[in-house]
Amino acid sequence: MVHQFIEKAENLNVGYFDQDDHFHDECGVFGVFSPDSRENVANYIYYGLFALQHRGQESAGMAINDGGKIAVHKDVGMVADVFTDRILKEARGSIGIGHVRYATTGAGGPVNAQPLSVNMRNCHIALAHNGNLVNHEALREMLEDSGVVFQTSIDTEAMVNIFARGLRHGLVESIQRMVEIIKGAYALVITTEDKLIGVRDPFGLRPLVIGKKGADYFLASESCALDAVGATLVRDVEPGEIIIVGRDGVETYGQKHWVGKRSCIFEQIYFARPDSIMEGRSVYLARHMAGRILARESAVEADVVIGVPDSGLPAAIGYAEESGIPYGIGLIKNKYSGRTFISPTQALREQGVRLKLNPLRETIRDKRVVVIDDSIVRGTTSKRLVNTLRDGGAKAVHFRVSSPPVKHTCHFGIDTPERRELIASKKSVEEIRELIGADTLAFLSLEGLNLSAGGGDAFCRACFDGVYPMAVPVLDD
């Protein structure tokens, strides 16, 4: 049966409809277990999700477990808007999970917000998910054929149903059976009865860490969320590992089949907060090193190095230090400008871009400027950025990118365009340079990226080299 699901999944046609010119954040998950039944963990979840807000701004939710009875509160909007003081004060429970969402599978709206909960005959469960299942449609079809009625359009609901159906075999067995069936990238936090559970996919594509504060345990997408609640990072959850936290402590289980680490390298480049630790490595230092290597690979004579806020700044500092060219703040980001791609007309979208990033003329006027960005997707934002710098008085604009050219679509929870919309899949570096209007253009090499991230083969780099860790749907070029 598992092979039938995979065969169906390979024929899926997954579409990405986001029209912005950057990769978009995935989702963030958070979980907490307190052995003190009097503890109210809602505040922990609130602060944890607030720290993970960069991973998803569409909706937020939490499920609080009070002696096996789970109350879910979720809605569209930011964490601070969804969870009012009244909601946090009224919440009761010593176990809980939370989620912030950026949609990659399924539409938006409150119905698709997470966590999802299921009432069963003998228990109540809730589950939240970061990632993407590539065989979601096949799983959904199978479950619908067996009588399941879906309430949402997200792949998380298929996982909840598969997990719930298998519970008659026992908690660990039900998770292991689910992992055999589902295919893709995922980090899960689950609460059922008196347990907090964490599950990471067999390749470790999506991040998940475990932390501790006193007797309380935490699960989170990034270690910055542990910092927000005063917890200490214990370690990363291993690929394929099942973490079960209960009153007797922490139990860990593996999968029945082969697992191997292929963590998403774009977490290091862009998605994770720079103050997070991932796979035992500082995200800031990885980006800083990428900038230093980029300077070695693509030196140029210039007067100032600037970074594109926020993810381009550590690489820009590294580039400046390695090259000896002074670092300066050349672009000011308005963090309250909203997302430009939702504007209804091109004129308004362009105005939105100017609101987002404004040149600091005192830094760039009459200067040869090296500008560092984390990636180029379609090229439209890069072109506007070059124009912005020239309008601000830059004498020359040397564009440097702290990652290799993005040539392939991600299928594992990062919202990327179809391959035909990725500029690097169709154009050479010189053609891209001409399109964006830069004086020079250079990308970090794949070898340089591997070195900055810590080396080895423990990363998925499919968006750069097209080598996926598993079979994926074939998209039209």
Side-chain angles (χ1 to χ4, degrees), residues 27-32 45-46 48-49 52 59-64 73 83 95-101 114-115 126-130 187-191 196 219-221:
C27 294
V29 296
F30 189 83
V32 56
I45 297 172
Y46 175 85
L49 294 182
L52 297 173
S59 64
M62 66 171 68
I64 307 297
H73 180 83
F83 304 118
I95 312 171
I97 60 174
H99 186 268
V100 288
R101 182 176 190 244
Q114 297 185 46
L127 181 149
H129 164 225
N130 166 32
L188 310 179
V189 288
I190 307 168
T191 181
L196 171 68
L219 294 166
S221 292

PDB file of all heavy atoms in Angstrom, residues 27-32 45-46 48-49 52 59-64 73 83 95-101 114-115 126-130 187-191 196 219-221:
ATOM      1  N   CYS A  27       6.865  27.412   8.194  1.00  0.00           N
ATOM      2  CA  CYS A  27       5.984  27.492   9.362  1.00  0.00           C
ATOM      3  C   CYS A  27       6.864  27.282  10.583  1.00  0.00           C
ATOM      4  O   CYS A  27       8.014  26.856  10.470  1.00  0.00           O
ATOM      5  CB  CYS A  27       4.893  26.420   9.317  1.00  0.00           C
ATOM      6  SG  CYS A  27       3.710  26.617   7.961  1.00  0.00           S
ATOM      7  N   GLY A  28       6.332  27.579  11.735  1.00  0.00           N
ATOM      8  CA  GLY A  28       7.057  27.344  12.974  1.00  0.00           C
ATOM      9  C   GLY A  28       6.203  26.564  13.940  1.00  0.00           C
ATOM     10  O   GLY A  28       4.990  26.793  14.036  1.00  0.00           O
ATOM     11  N   VAL A  29       6.817  25.612  14.664  1.00  0.00           N
ATOM     12  CA  VAL A  29       6.091  24.826  15.664  1.00  0.00           C
ATOM     13  C   VAL A  29       6.776  24.970  17.015  1.00  0.00           C
ATOM     14  O   VAL A  29       7.987  25.195  17.106  1.00  0.00           O
ATOM     15  CB  VAL A  29       5.994  23.338  15.271  1.00  0.00           C
ATOM     16  CG1 VAL A  29       5.175  23.173  14.003  1.00  0.00           C
ATOM     17  CG2 VAL A  29       7.373  22.708  15.101  1.00  0.00           C
ATOM     18  N   PHE A  30       5.975  24.808  18.060  1.00  0.00           N
ATOM     19  CA  PHE A  30       6.480  24.942  19.429  1.00  0.00           C
ATOM     20  C   PHE A  30       5.650  24.034  20.327  1.00  0.00           C
ATOM     21  O   PHE A  30       4.439  23.903  20.144  1.00  0.00           O
ATOM     22  CB  PHE A  30       6.355  26.397  19.894  1.00  0.00           C
ATOM     23  CG  PHE A  30       7.025  26.683  21.201  1.00  0.00           C
ATOM     24  CD1 PHE A  30       8.388  26.948  21.249  1.00  0.00           C
ATOM     25  CD2 PHE A  30       6.308  26.697  22.393  1.00  0.00           C
ATOM     26  CE1 PHE A  30       9.020  27.231  22.457  1.00  0.00           C
ATOM     27  CE2 PHE A  30       6.928  26.966  23.597  1.00  0.00           C
ATOM     28  CZ  PHE A  30       8.293  27.238  23.627  1.00  0.00           C
ATOM     29  N   GLY A  31       6.313  23.409  21.285  1.00  0.00           N
ATOM     30  CA  GLY A  31       5.606  22.555  22.231  1.00  0.00           C
ATOM     31  C   GLY A  31       6.226  22.644  23.612  1.00  0.00           C
ATOM     32  O   GLY A  31       7.421  22.922  23.751  1.00  0.00           O
ATOM     33  N   VAL A  32       5.414  22.417  24.644  1.00  0.00           N
ATOM     34  CA  VAL A  32       5.914  22.471  26.016  1.00  0.00           C
ATOM     35  C   VAL A  32       5.205  21.430  26.866  1.00  0.00           C
ATOM     36  O   VAL A  32       4.005  21.180  26.697  1.00  0.00           O
ATOM     37  CB  VAL A  32       5.732  23.891  26.623  1.00  0.00           C
ATOM     38  CG1 VAL A  32       4.290  24.332  26.560  1.00  0.00           C
ATOM     39  CG2 VAL A  32       6.254  23.955  28.056  1.00  0.00           C
ATOM     40  N   ILE A  45       3.934  29.235  25.272  1.00  0.00           N
ATOM     41  CA  ILE A  45       3.662  29.057  23.850  1.00  0.00           C
ATOM     42  C   ILE A  45       3.583  30.404  23.148  1.00  0.00           C
ATOM     43  O   ILE A  45       4.092  30.573  22.027  1.00  0.00           O
ATOM     44  CB  ILE A  45       2.370  28.240  23.651  1.00  0.00           C
ATOM     45  CG1 ILE A  45       2.537  26.839  24.239  1.00  0.00           C
ATOM     46  CG2 ILE A  45       1.998  28.151  22.167  1.00  0.00           C
ATOM     47  CD1 ILE A  45       1.275  26.019  24.265  1.00  0.00           C
ATOM     48  N   TYR A  46       2.972  31.371  23.798  1.00  0.00           N
ATOM     49  CA  TYR A  46       2.867  32.706  23.213  1.00  0.00           C
ATOM     50  C   TYR A  46       4.254  33.275  22.915  1.00  0.00           C
ATOM     51  O   TYR A  46       4.525  33.743  21.795  1.00  0.00           O
ATOM     52  CB  TYR A  46       2.118  33.636  24.168  1.00  0.00           C
ATOM     53  CG  TYR A  46       2.068  35.075  23.711  1.00  0.00           C
ATOM     54  CD1 TYR A  46       1.075  35.506  22.830  1.00  0.00           C
ATOM     55  CD2 TYR A  46       3.021  35.993  24.145  1.00  0.00           C
ATOM     56  CE1 TYR A  46       1.036  36.827  22.403  1.00  0.00           C
ATOM     57  CE2 TYR A  46       2.993  37.313  23.723  1.00  0.00           C
ATOM     58  CZ  TYR A  46       2.000  37.727  22.853  1.00  0.00           C
ATOM     59  OH  TYR A  46       1.970  39.023  22.424  1.00  0.00           O
ATOM     60  N   GLY A  48       7.110  31.656  22.727  1.00  0.00           N
ATOM     61  CA  GLY A  48       7.805  30.812  21.762  1.00  0.00           C
ATOM     62  C   GLY A  48       7.380  31.109  20.337  1.00  0.00           C
ATOM     63  O   GLY A  48       8.221  31.233  19.431  1.00  0.00           O
ATOM     64  N   LEU A  49       6.071  31.246  20.122  1.00  0.00           N
ATOM     65  CA  LEU A  49       5.575  31.556  18.781  1.00  0.00           C
ATOM     66  C   LEU A  49       5.962  32.963  18.357  1.00  0.00           C
ATOM     67  O   LEU A  49       6.236  33.213  17.171  1.00  0.00           O
ATOM     68  CB  LEU A  49       4.055  31.393  18.729  1.00  0.00           C
ATOM     69  CG  LEU A  49       3.512  29.974  18.904  1.00  0.00           C
ATOM     70  CD1 LEU A  49       1.995  29.974  18.789  1.00  0.00           C
ATOM     71  CD2 LEU A  49       4.131  29.017  17.890  1.00  0.00           C
ATOM     72  N   LEU A  52       9.155  32.865  16.846  1.00  0.00           N
ATOM     73  CA  LEU A  52       9.141  32.169  15.553  1.00  0.00           C
ATOM     74  C   LEU A  52       8.280  32.879  14.516  1.00  0.00           C
ATOM     75  O   LEU A  52       8.037  32.331  13.432  1.00  0.00           O
ATOM     76  CB  LEU A  52       8.607  30.735  15.746  1.00  0.00           C
ATOM     77  CG  LEU A  52       9.444  29.815  16.630  1.00  0.00           C
ATOM     78  CD1 LEU A  52       8.708  28.498  16.872  1.00  0.00           C
ATOM     79  CD2 LEU A  52      10.819  29.550  16.002  1.00  0.00           C
ATOM     80  N   SER A  59      -1.204  32.962   9.983  1.00  0.00           N
ATOM     81  CA  SER A  59      -2.102  32.569  11.070  1.00  0.00           C
ATOM     82  C   SER A  59      -1.279  32.043  12.234  1.00  0.00           C
ATOM     83  O   SER A  59      -0.088  31.747  12.097  1.00  0.00           O
ATOM     84  CB  SER A  59      -3.100  31.496  10.606  1.00  0.00           C
ATOM     85  OG  SER A  59      -2.422  30.295  10.255  1.00  0.00           O
ATOM     86  N   ALA A  60      -1.932  31.943  13.382  1.00  0.00           N
ATOM     87  CA  ALA A  60      -1.282  31.430  14.583  1.00  0.00           C
ATOM     88  C   ALA A  60      -2.304  30.635  15.391  1.00  0.00           C
ATOM     89  O   ALA A  60      -3.505  30.918  15.340  1.00  0.00           O
ATOM     90  CB  ALA A  60      -0.708  32.567  15.426  1.00  0.00           C
ATOM     91  N   GLY A  61      -1.814  29.648  16.128  1.00  0.00           N
ATOM     92  CA  GLY A  61      -2.726  28.856  16.943  1.00  0.00           C
ATOM     93  C   GLY A  61      -2.005  28.107  18.037  1.00  0.00           C
ATOM     94  O   GLY A  61      -0.789  27.891  17.977  1.00  0.00           O
ATOM     95  N   MET A  62      -2.751  27.730  19.065  1.00  0.00           N
ATOM     96  CA  MET A  62      -2.210  26.891  20.128  1.00  0.00           C
ATOM     97  C   MET A  62      -3.275  25.914  20.603  1.00  0.00           C
ATOM     98  O   MET A  62      -4.481  26.184  20.508  1.00  0.00           O
ATOM     99  CB  MET A  62      -1.670  27.725  21.293  1.00  0.00           C
ATOM    100  CG  MET A  62      -2.703  28.518  22.065  1.00  0.00           C
ATOM    101  SD  MET A  62      -2.024  29.277  23.596  1.00  0.00           S
ATOM    102  CE  MET A  62      -0.897  30.501  22.934  1.00  0.00           C
ATOM    103  N   ALA A  63      -2.816  24.754  21.060  1.00  0.00           N
ATOM    104  CA  ALA A  63      -3.692  23.741  21.644  1.00  0.00           C
ATOM    105  C   ALA A  63      -3.169  23.434  23.046  1.00  0.00           C
ATOM    106  O   ALA A  63      -2.014  23.034  23.203  1.00  0.00           O
ATOM    107  CB  ALA A  63      -3.696  22.472  20.792  1.00  0.00           C
ATOM    108  N   ILE A  64      -4.014  23.661  24.058  1.00  0.00           N
ATOM    109  CA  ILE A  64      -3.613  23.491  25.458  1.00  0.00           C
ATOM    110  C   ILE A  64      -4.297  22.247  26.010  1.00  0.00           C
ATOM    111  O   ILE A  64      -5.527  22.109  25.947  1.00  0.00           O
ATOM    112  CB  ILE A  64      -4.001  24.718  26.302  1.00  0.00           C
ATOM    113  CG1 ILE A  64      -3.459  26.001  25.664  1.00  0.00           C
ATOM    114  CG2 ILE A  64      -3.471  24.564  27.715  1.00  0.00           C
ATOM    115  CD1 ILE A  64      -1.968  26.070  25.575  1.00  0.00           C
ATOM    116  N   HIS A  73      -7.183  27.284  20.245  1.00  0.00           N
ATOM    117  CA  HIS A  73      -7.519  28.646  19.826  1.00  0.00           C
ATOM    118  C   HIS A  73      -6.591  29.011  18.675  1.00  0.00           C
ATOM    119  O   HIS A  73      -5.367  28.931  18.805  1.00  0.00           O
ATOM    120  CB  HIS A  73      -7.354  29.660  20.955  1.00  0.00           C
ATOM    121  CG  HIS A  73      -7.713  31.052  20.507  1.00  0.00           C
ATOM    122  ND1 HIS A  73      -9.004  31.508  20.483  1.00  0.00           N
ATOM    123  CD2 HIS A  73      -6.942  32.064  20.025  1.00  0.00           C
ATOM    124  CE1 HIS A  73      -9.025  32.748  20.026  1.00  0.00           C
ATOM    125  NE2 HIS A  73      -7.785  33.104  19.740  1.00  0.00           N
ATOM    126  N   PHE A  83      -3.672  36.096  20.036  1.00  0.00           N
ATOM    127  CA  PHE A  83      -3.755  35.699  21.449  1.00  0.00           C
ATOM    128  C   PHE A  83      -3.849  36.947  22.331  1.00  0.00           C
ATOM    129  O   PHE A  83      -2.845  37.596  22.626  1.00  0.00           O
ATOM    130  CB  PHE A  83      -2.534  34.865  21.836  1.00  0.00           C
ATOM    131  CG  PHE A  83      -2.332  33.660  20.972  1.00  0.00           C
ATOM    132  CD1 PHE A  83      -1.188  33.535  20.211  1.00  0.00           C
ATOM    133  CD2 PHE A  83      -3.300  32.677  20.894  1.00  0.00           C
ATOM    134  CE1 PHE A  83      -1.001  32.427  19.395  1.00  0.00           C
ATOM    135  CE2 PHE A  83      -3.128  31.563  20.086  1.00  0.00           C
ATOM    136  CZ  PHE A  83      -1.972  31.444  19.336  1.00  0.00           C
ATOM    137  N   ILE A  95       0.339  21.024  29.300  1.00  0.00           N
ATOM    138  CA  ILE A  95       0.947  20.555  28.052  1.00  0.00           C
ATOM    139  C   ILE A  95       0.333  21.373  26.923  1.00  0.00           C
ATOM    140  O   ILE A  95      -0.870  21.664  26.946  1.00  0.00           O
ATOM    141  CB  ILE A  95       0.686  19.054  27.793  1.00  0.00           C
ATOM    142  CG1 ILE A  95       0.994  18.216  29.033  1.00  0.00           C
ATOM    143  CG2 ILE A  95       1.498  18.555  26.602  1.00  0.00           C
ATOM    144  CD1 ILE A  95       0.557  16.766  28.910  1.00  0.00           C
ATOM    145  N   GLY A  96       1.124  21.739  25.950  1.00  0.00           N
ATOM    146  CA  GLY A  96       0.553  22.499  24.844  1.00  0.00           C
ATOM    147  C   GLY A  96       1.467  22.523  23.640  1.00  0.00           C
ATOM    148  O   GLY A  96       2.675  22.272  23.723  1.00  0.00           O
ATOM    149  N   ILE A  97       0.866  22.814  22.485  1.00  0.00           N
ATOM    150  CA  ILE A  97       1.610  22.964  21.248  1.00  0.00           C
ATOM    151  C   ILE A  97       1.126  24.226  20.548  1.00  0.00           C
ATOM    152  O   ILE A  97       0.001  24.686  20.777  1.00  0.00           O
ATOM    153  CB  ILE A  97       1.460  21.754  20.299  1.00  0.00           C
ATOM    154  CG1 ILE A  97      -0.010  21.539  19.913  1.00  0.00           C
ATOM    155  CG2 ILE A  97       2.027  20.495  20.953  1.00  0.00           C
ATOM    156  CD1 ILE A  97      -0.218  20.442  18.869  1.00  0.00           C
ATOM    157  N   GLY A  98       1.971  24.798  19.697  1.00  0.00           N
ATOM    158  CA  GLY A  98       1.600  26.007  18.981  1.00  0.00           C
ATOM    159  C   GLY A  98       2.156  26.001  17.580  1.00  0.00           C
ATOM    160  O   GLY A  98       3.055  25.210  17.228  1.00  0.00           O
ATOM    161  N   HIS A  99       1.647  26.928  16.754  1.00  0.00           N
ATOM    162  CA  HIS A  99       1.995  26.942  15.332  1.00  0.00           C
ATOM    163  C   HIS A  99       1.833  28.343  14.769  1.00  0.00           C
ATOM    164  O   HIS A  99       0.876  29.052  15.087  1.00  0.00           O
ATOM    165  CB  HIS A  99       1.063  25.977  14.581  1.00  0.00           C
ATOM    166  CG  HIS A  99       1.394  25.780  13.136  1.00  0.00           C
ATOM    167  ND1 HIS A  99       0.838  26.550  12.130  1.00  0.00           N
ATOM    168  CD2 HIS A  99       2.208  24.888  12.524  1.00  0.00           C
ATOM    169  CE1 HIS A  99       1.314  26.134  10.963  1.00  0.00           C
ATOM    170  NE2 HIS A  99       2.143  25.129  11.170  1.00  0.00           N
ATOM    171  N   VAL A 100       2.785  28.764  13.942  1.00  0.00           N
ATOM    172  CA  VAL A 100       2.611  29.937  13.081  1.00  0.00           C
ATOM    173  C   VAL A 100       2.740  29.452  11.645  1.00  0.00           C
ATOM    174  O   VAL A 100       3.578  28.595  11.337  1.00  0.00           O
ATOM    175  CB  VAL A 100       3.638  31.045  13.375  1.00  0.00           C
ATOM    176  CG1 VAL A 100       3.333  31.730  14.700  1.00  0.00           C
ATOM    177  CG2 VAL A 100       5.069  30.530  13.355  1.00  0.00           C
ATOM    178  N   ARG A 101       1.897  30.011  10.768  1.00  0.00           N
ATOM    179  CA  ARG A 101       1.769  29.433   9.435  1.00  0.00           C
ATOM    180  C   ARG A 101       2.075  30.411   8.323  1.00  0.00           C
ATOM    181  O   ARG A 101       1.674  31.556   8.358  1.00  0.00           O
ATOM    182  CB  ARG A 101       0.343  28.911   9.224  1.00  0.00           C
ATOM    183  CG  ARG A 101       0.126  28.238   7.867  1.00  0.00           C
ATOM    184  CD  ARG A 101      -1.269  27.649   7.755  1.00  0.00           C
ATOM    185  NE  ARG A 101      -1.400  26.817   6.576  1.00  0.00           N
ATOM    186  CZ  ARG A 101      -2.207  27.070   5.560  1.00  0.00           C
ATOM    187  NH1 ARG A 101      -2.994  28.134   5.569  1.00  0.00           N
ATOM    188  NH2 ARG A 101      -2.258  26.265   4.507  1.00  0.00           N
ATOM    189  N   GLN A 114      -3.460  26.065  12.140  1.00  0.00           N
ATOM    190  CA  GLN A 114      -3.107  24.936  12.994  1.00  0.00           C
ATOM    191  C   GLN A 114      -2.880  25.431  14.427  1.00  0.00           C
ATOM    192  O   GLN A 114      -2.706  26.619  14.637  1.00  0.00           O
ATOM    193  CB  GLN A 114      -1.825  24.270  12.451  1.00  0.00           C
ATOM    194  CG  GLN A 114      -1.965  23.678  11.067  1.00  0.00           C
ATOM    195  CD  GLN A 114      -0.709  22.929  10.645  1.00  0.00           C
ATOM    196  OE1 GLN A 114      -0.129  22.143  11.401  1.00  0.00           O
ATOM    197  NE2 GLN A 114      -0.268  23.200   9.426  1.00  0.00           N
ATOM    198  N   PRO A 115      -2.901  24.475  15.388  1.00  0.00           N
ATOM    199  CA  PRO A 115      -2.934  23.021  15.310  1.00  0.00           C
ATOM    200  C   PRO A 115      -4.326  22.485  14.901  1.00  0.00           C
ATOM    201  O   PRO A 115      -5.340  23.171  15.042  1.00  0.00           O
ATOM    202  CB  PRO A 115      -2.602  22.571  16.739  1.00  0.00           C
ATOM    203  CG  PRO A 115      -1.987  23.758  17.398  1.00  0.00           C
ATOM    204  CD  PRO A 115      -2.647  24.941  16.772  1.00  0.00           C
ATOM    205  N   ALA A 126      -4.032  16.570  19.334  1.00  0.00           N
ATOM    206  CA  ALA A 126      -3.825  17.769  18.518  1.00  0.00           C
ATOM    207  C   ALA A 126      -2.433  17.688  17.913  1.00  0.00           C
ATOM    208  O   ALA A 126      -1.498  17.172  18.537  1.00  0.00           O
ATOM    209  CB  ALA A 126      -3.983  19.041  19.355  1.00  0.00           C
ATOM    210  N   LEU A 127      -2.298  18.189  16.684  1.00  0.00           N
ATOM    211  CA  LEU A 127      -1.046  18.073  15.940  1.00  0.00           C
ATOM    212  C   LEU A 127      -0.786  19.363  15.178  1.00  0.00           C
ATOM    213  O   LEU A 127      -1.706  19.971  14.626  1.00  0.00           O
ATOM    214  CB  LEU A 127      -1.120  16.880  14.975  1.00  0.00           C
ATOM    215  CG  LEU A 127       0.086  16.553  14.093  1.00  0.00           C
ATOM    216  CD1 LEU A 127       0.142  15.038  13.831  1.00  0.00           C
ATOM    217  CD2 LEU A 127       0.056  17.299  12.767  1.00  0.00           C
ATOM    218  N   ALA A 128       0.480  19.789  15.136  1.00  0.00           N
ATOM    219  CA  ALA A 128       0.912  20.935  14.330  1.00  0.00           C
ATOM    220  C   ALA A 128       2.133  20.516  13.523  1.00  0.00           C
ATOM    221  O   ALA A 128       2.950  19.707  13.973  1.00  0.00           O
ATOM    222  CB  ALA A 128       1.238  22.137  15.212  1.00  0.00           C
ATOM    223  N   HIS A 129       2.279  21.110  12.346  1.00  0.00           N
ATOM    224  CA  HIS A 129       3.205  20.588  11.341  1.00  0.00           C
ATOM    225  C   HIS A 129       3.923  21.713  10.619  1.00  0.00           C
ATOM    226  O   HIS A 129       3.314  22.690  10.194  1.00  0.00           O
ATOM    227  CB  HIS A 129       2.370  19.759  10.341  1.00  0.00           C
ATOM    228  CG  HIS A 129       3.050  19.455   9.040  1.00  0.00           C
ATOM    229  ND1 HIS A 129       2.410  19.588   7.821  1.00  0.00           N
ATOM    230  CD2 HIS A 129       4.294  19.031   8.761  1.00  0.00           C
ATOM    231  CE1 HIS A 129       3.234  19.240   6.862  1.00  0.00           C
ATOM    232  NE2 HIS A 129       4.383  18.899   7.397  1.00  0.00           N
ATOM    233  N   ASN A 130       5.229  21.570  10.473  1.00  0.00           N
ATOM    234  CA  ASN A 130       6.021  22.426   9.594  1.00  0.00           C
ATOM    235  C   ASN A 130       6.592  21.544   8.500  1.00  0.00           C
ATOM    236  O   ASN A 130       7.275  20.562   8.780  1.00  0.00           O
ATOM    237  CB  ASN A 130       7.157  23.098  10.378  1.00  0.00           C
ATOM    238  CG  ASN A 130       8.199  23.729   9.459  1.00  0.00           C
ATOM    239  OD1 ASN A 130       7.870  24.199   8.372  1.00  0.00           O
ATOM    240  ND2 ASN A 130       9.434  23.732   9.894  1.00  0.00           N
ATOM    241  N   ALA A 187       8.307  18.483  10.478  1.00  0.00           N
ATOM    242  CA  ALA A 187       8.616  18.483  11.904  1.00  0.00           C
ATOM    243  C   ALA A 187       7.266  18.611  12.599  1.00  0.00           C
ATOM    244  O   ALA A 187       6.510  19.552  12.331  1.00  0.00           O
ATOM    245  CB  ALA A 187       9.532  19.633  12.275  1.00  0.00           C
ATOM    246  N   LEU A 188       6.938  17.658  13.458  1.00  0.00           N
ATOM    247  CA  LEU A 188       5.626  17.587  14.087  1.00  0.00           C
ATOM    248  C   LEU A 188       5.739  17.782  15.589  1.00  0.00           C
ATOM    249  O   LEU A 188       6.684  17.294  16.220  1.00  0.00           O
ATOM    250  CB  LEU A 188       4.962  16.227  13.833  1.00  0.00           C
ATOM    251  CG  LEU A 188       4.905  15.694  12.409  1.00  0.00           C
ATOM    252  CD1 LEU A 188       4.237  14.319  12.409  1.00  0.00           C
ATOM    253  CD2 LEU A 188       4.159  16.648  11.500  1.00  0.00           C
ATOM    254  N   VAL A 189       4.763  18.484  16.151  1.00  0.00           N
ATOM    255  CA  VAL A 189       4.547  18.476  17.594  1.00  0.00           C
ATOM    256  C   VAL A 189       3.114  18.009  17.827  1.00  0.00           C
ATOM    257  O   VAL A 189       2.186  18.448  17.144  1.00  0.00           O
ATOM    258  CB  VAL A 189       4.794  19.855  18.239  1.00  0.00           C
ATOM    259  CG1 VAL A 189       6.265  20.170  18.271  1.00  0.00           C
ATOM    260  CG2 VAL A 189       4.029  20.961  17.536  1.00  0.00           C
ATOM    261  N   ILE A 190       2.965  17.095  18.754  1.00  0.00           N
ATOM    262  CA  ILE A 190       1.679  16.439  18.999  1.00  0.00           C
ATOM    263  C   ILE A 190       1.447  16.397  20.503  1.00  0.00           C
ATOM    264  O   ILE A 190       2.390  16.201  21.288  1.00  0.00           O
ATOM    265  CB  ILE A 190       1.669  14.993  18.446  1.00  0.00           C
ATOM    266  CG1 ILE A 190       2.100  14.960  16.966  1.00  0.00           C
ATOM    267  CG2 ILE A 190       0.295  14.350  18.619  1.00  0.00           C
ATOM    268  CD1 ILE A 190       2.395  13.545  16.456  1.00  0.00           C
ATOM    269  N   THR A 191       0.199  16.561  20.911  1.00  0.00           N
ATOM    270  CA  THR A 191      -0.158  16.279  22.299  1.00  0.00           C
ATOM    271  C   THR A 191      -1.349  15.330  22.304  1.00  0.00           C
ATOM    272  O   THR A 191      -2.289  15.487  21.528  1.00  0.00           O
ATOM    273  CB  THR A 191      -0.476  17.554  23.093  1.00  0.00           C
ATOM    274  OG1 THR A 191      -0.797  17.190  24.449  1.00  0.00           O
ATOM    275  CG2 THR A 191      -1.618  18.346  22.505  1.00  0.00           C
ATOM    276  N   LEU A 196       3.652  14.991  25.411  1.00  0.00           N
ATOM    277  CA  LEU A 196       4.096  15.883  24.345  1.00  0.00           C
ATOM    278  C   LEU A 196       5.005  15.065  23.440  1.00  0.00           C
ATOM    279  O   LEU A 196       5.924  14.385  23.911  1.00  0.00           O
ATOM    280  CB  LEU A 196       4.866  17.077  24.909  1.00  0.00           C
ATOM    281  CG  LEU A 196       5.567  17.967  23.870  1.00  0.00           C
ATOM    282  CD1 LEU A 196       4.556  18.725  23.014  1.00  0.00           C
ATOM    283  CD2 LEU A 196       6.531  18.949  24.549  1.00  0.00           C
ATOM    284  N   LEU A 219       9.854  21.740  22.753  1.00  0.00           N
ATOM    285  CA  LEU A 219      10.202  21.411  21.377  1.00  0.00           C
ATOM    286  C   LEU A 219       9.964  22.673  20.542  1.00  0.00           C
ATOM    287  O   LEU A 219       8.976  23.380  20.757  1.00  0.00           O
ATOM    288  CB  LEU A 219       9.338  20.270  20.845  1.00  0.00           C
ATOM    289  CG  LEU A 219       9.517  18.901  21.506  1.00  0.00           C
ATOM    290  CD1 LEU A 219       8.372  17.967  21.123  1.00  0.00           C
ATOM    291  CD2 LEU A 219      10.861  18.302  21.085  1.00  0.00           C
ATOM    292  N   ALA A 220      10.849  22.949  19.594  1.00  0.00           N
ATOM    293  CA  ALA A 220      10.699  24.175  18.809  1.00  0.00           C
ATOM    294  C   ALA A 220      11.394  24.026  17.465  1.00  0.00           C
ATOM    295  O   ALA A 220      12.334  23.235  17.313  1.00  0.00           O
ATOM    296  CB  ALA A 220      11.281  25.378  19.559  1.00  0.00           C
ATOM    297  N   SER A 221      10.933  24.810  16.498  1.00  0.00           N
ATOM    298  CA  SER A 221      11.564  24.816  15.185  1.00  0.00           C
ATOM    299  C   SER A 221      12.972  25.391  15.250  1.00  0.00           C
ATOM    300  O   SER A 221      13.851  24.975  14.490  1.00  0.00           O
ATOM    301  CB  SER A 221      10.726  25.627  14.189  1.00  0.00           C
ATOM    302  OG  SER A 221       9.504  24.991  13.901  1.00  0.00           O
TER     303      SER A 221
END
